Structures are given as structure tokens and as C-alpha cells.
Amino acid sequence: MCEIRYLTFGMVLHNVYRSDPAFVWGAPVGPAHGEVGDKCLETYKKSCETFERHRLHDEHPRYPESLTCCGAQYDDRGEPQNALYYRLAAAVAKQKISGSEHAETIKFRKTLRATLAKLGRDDDVKSLDEGAILKRVQNPHTERIFEIDT
């Protein structure tokens, strides 16, 4: 399963640039933006694309992990606007695969909440806190991310 190899290799690269003494979380420059950081993001995206191409995205428990790793990479780069799509997609996929009460689903919703808060989307944070049902969208900046308004 090459999608899992991509995910694992991405995690190795993620740890390499995060261990660099120059790494600062959320910095607009630094190791997360360098050659290793770029390769890490590319590898995580290949993992997601491979799960989707093999039509495993609706059932494989590692697919949401690939998505959340992309979001983490963008967070490391100080790009919450780019992390939002992946954080939302990860939370939706994890809920679909594992159920809304699963510990990782709750964790993924918390990371999505943090991203929404960074972006100043207080109404969406409130809806998420109230248990709104998420939906995956192509552009979370222009489309409503919840199934129903709460």
C-alpha cells in the first residue's frame, strides 16, 4: 500500500525539519518552507491522492491521518488559511469512518476548531462547539462547512 508508505515517509520528513534548531512553529520562513518541508508536504499530498485514486478514502483509517498531516504542515508554515481545507476534510473523513464519539474524531474536531479560531471564524467555532455536523466542501473559505445551520 503505497499510500501508507507516502504517509510514513512524510512523517519522517516532518520530524526532520521540526528537529532543526531553526524551526519555529507558524513562522513564515524557516525549515518548514525549505527543501525538506516542501518534500514533506508533497509526500503527504501524494498519500491523500493515492487513497482517493484507489477509492479507499471512505473506509481506510489512515486516510484522515494523511489529511490532518497536510493541515499540520500548513500550520507549521503559518498558513492556517491553507490548513483549513485539510483540517475540515480530516474531521469529516474521521467521523465517517470511526463515528462521532471516537477519540480521534474528537481530536480532529479540536484541531479544526483551533484553525477556525486562528482565522477569526468565531461563528463557525461556536457551531462546532455546539456539535454541528460537518460536511466536506471544495472551498471552506466560501462554502458553508456544516450540514445545517445551528
Side-chain angles (χ1 to χ4, degrees), residues 3 14 17 23 25 40-41 48 55 61 68 73 75 78-80 84 87 94-95 107 113 139:
E3 58 276 354
H14 208 146
Y17 81 73
F23 173 72
W25 186 84
C40 176
L41 183 59
C48 295
R55 292 183 172 78
T68 205
Q73 174 70 12
D75 282 337
E79 300 175 15
L84 180 58
R87 295 295 194 189
K94 191 63 180 177
Q95 182 170 304
K107 180 177 94 173
R113 183 192 190 286
N139 187 343

Side-chain angles (χ1 to χ4, degrees), residues 85-128:
Y85 169 82
Y86 293 99
R87 295 295 194 189
L88 172 63
V92 171
K94 191 63 180 177
Q95 182 170 304
K96 184 175 185 177
I97 293 167
S98 301
S100 60
E101 301 302 318
H102 192 277
E104 285 188 11
T105 302
I106 293 166
K107 180 177 94 173
F108 284 15
R109 285 177 71 98
K110 285 180 181 179
T111 57
L112 171 61
R113 183 192 190 286
T115 300
L116 290 167
K118 284 180 208 164
L119 294 170
R121 293 180 60 165
D122 298 333
D123 289 343
D124 288 335
V125 168
K126 183 179 179 196
S127 294
L128 195 60

